[in-house]
Amino acid sequence: MRAALFVAFLACQTLGLSAAVTTPAAAALQEETREQFMQRCTLAGAETANMESYAEGACAEKWIALNRANPMLDAILSVFVAGTPSALDPADVQRRASIVRWTSPSEGQLSGLKVEVTRTPTTRIIFNWSATGQPIPYDPVEALRVRGAQVYPIGCYALGAGETNGVWRVDAPGHAPFALTVYRREAPTASALSYITVSADAERNLPTLGDLMAAEPDQDWQDCPS
């Protein structure tokens, strides 16, 4: 699944979101309060749009989206706790991501998200959401930043208006570095489908921009905008 291989280009934007923490491990990562986030996000948004009132409203919505991303991030981070072996198979991932309600050896559910664990060829944990005519309600990249993780863009590309991919390296306190990917498509019309796929390489393979270009030479891979 192409959607499982890449991270959201839109997530390359530096406006941040913060999340309510649901586990002790997550609590150790959180660094920004809502007030700190709103100040940072509003300032950046006002500089971009030159409209502070618009930026405040947009940032308040982003804060909500960050909170929605919390369960997904808790499940992902549980796979990369420091000391965890790097050669994980799908069964290992399911045991570690126990917050997911696994319904089969490869599928599960978590807070409105469909979850998969696959080996194609490396082991990946994948989260899918879709809805007709709805805005995407998750921003896991900025949620990680607010929780104290360093998130570095590796490569991004756009497929058209509202459809984007990207790949990121995540360094979170108390966790091994890993590659996060997000593919997202915002519905262009009320009758079209919006969807987002977020995945992480459980075997900790960290690609370079050159690796991404070699894997998909037909795509216009670039450095993600800051």
Side-chain angles (χ1 to χ4, degrees), residues 7-12 15-19 61-74 76 109-115 127-131 134-144 147 164 180-186 194-199:
V7 161
F9 181 83
L10 291 182
C12 298
L15 295 183
L17 309 178
S18 182
E61 292 182 3
K62 289 175 182 291
W63 176 265
I64 295 172
L66 278 167
N67 278 277
R68 290 196 186 103
N70 258 345
M72 180 197 314
L73 297 185
D74 289 343
I76 291 172
Q109 300 283 333
L110 177 64
S111 299
L113 295 159
K114 295 181 180 179
V115 189
F127 299 82
N128 294 292
W129 171 91
S130 64
Q134 298 297 316
I136 295 172
Y138 305 99
D139 191 335
V141 172
E142 286 300 336
L144 282 164
R147 291 170 69 151
T164 54
L180 183 76
T181 69
V182 178
Y183 170 88
R184 56 187 290 152
R185 178 182 183 270
E186 295 279 359
S194 292
Y195 48 86
I196 183 172
T197 296
V198 180
S199 70

Side-chain angles (χ1 to χ4, degrees), residues 15 17 37-38 41-42 45 54-64:
L15 295 183
L17 309 178
F37 161 76
M38 288 295 294
C41 180
T42 301
Y54 170 82
E56 288 180 356
C59 291
E61 292 182 3
K62 289 175 182 291
W63 176 265
I64 295 172

Side-chain angles (χ1 to χ4, degrees), residues 98-113:
S98 58
I99 189 176
V100 176
R101 182 172 63 85
W102 297 104
T103 56
S104 78
S106 62
E107 297 181 348
Q109 300 283 333
L110 177 64
S111 299
L113 295 159

Side-chain angles (χ1 to χ4, degrees), residues 24-224:
L29 294 178
Q30 186 165 358
E31 290 192 351
E32 278 190 324
T33 64
R34 184 182 188 280
E35 290 71 25
Q36 290 170 329
F37 161 76
M38 288 295 294
Q39 181 179 14
R40 176 170 66 88
C41 180
T42 301
L43 178 61
E47 290 175 350
T48 301
N50 198 29
M51 294 176 60
E52 184 173 353
S53 60
Y54 170 82
E56 288 180 356
C59 291
E61 292 182 3
K62 289 175 182 291
W63 176 265
I64 295 172
L66 278 167
N67 278 277
R68 290 196 186 103
N70 258 345
M72 180 197 314
L73 297 185
D74 289 343
I76 291 172
L77 290 170
S78 69
V79 178
F80 301 100
V81 173
T84 299
S86 59
L88 298 181
D89 62 24
D92 294 325
V93 171
Q94 286 192 327
R95 284 193 294 270
R96 294 177 186 280
S98 58
I99 189 176
V100 176
R101 182 172 63 85
W102 297 104
T103 56
S104 78
S106 62
E107 297 181 348
Q109 300 283 333
L110 177 64
S111 299
L113 295 159
K114 295 181 180 179
V115 189
E116 299 174 73
V117 59
T118 66
R119 175 170 270 172
T120 56
T122 64
T123 303
R124 306 186 69 86
I125 183 168
I126 305 165
F127 299 82
N128 294 292
W129 171 91
S130 64
T132 301
Q134 298 297 316
I136 295 172
Y138 305 99
D139 191 335
V141 172
E142 286 300 336
L144 282 164
R145 285 180 172 145
V146 169
R147 291 170 69 151
Q150 297 295 315
V151 187
Y152 305 99
I154 298 174
C156 295
Y157 68 80
L159 294 170
E163 188 172 4
T164 54
N165 291 320
V167 180
W168 300 80
R169 174 187 170 123
V170 179
D171 290 337
H175 297 74
F178 63 94
L180 183 76
T181 69
V182 178
Y183 170 88
R184 56 187 290 152
R185 178 182 183 270
E186 295 279 359
T189 65
S191 60
L193 195 66
S194 292
Y195 48 86
I196 183 172
T197 296
V198 180
S199 70
D201 187 328
E203 296 185 50
R204 306 181 195 170
N205 297 291
L206 293 168
T208 65
L209 180 57
D211 293 332
L212 300 176
M213 291 176 171
E216 283 202 321
D218 294 336
Q219 301 299 339
D220 186 21
W221 284 102
Q222 300 180 15
D223 291 330
C224 301

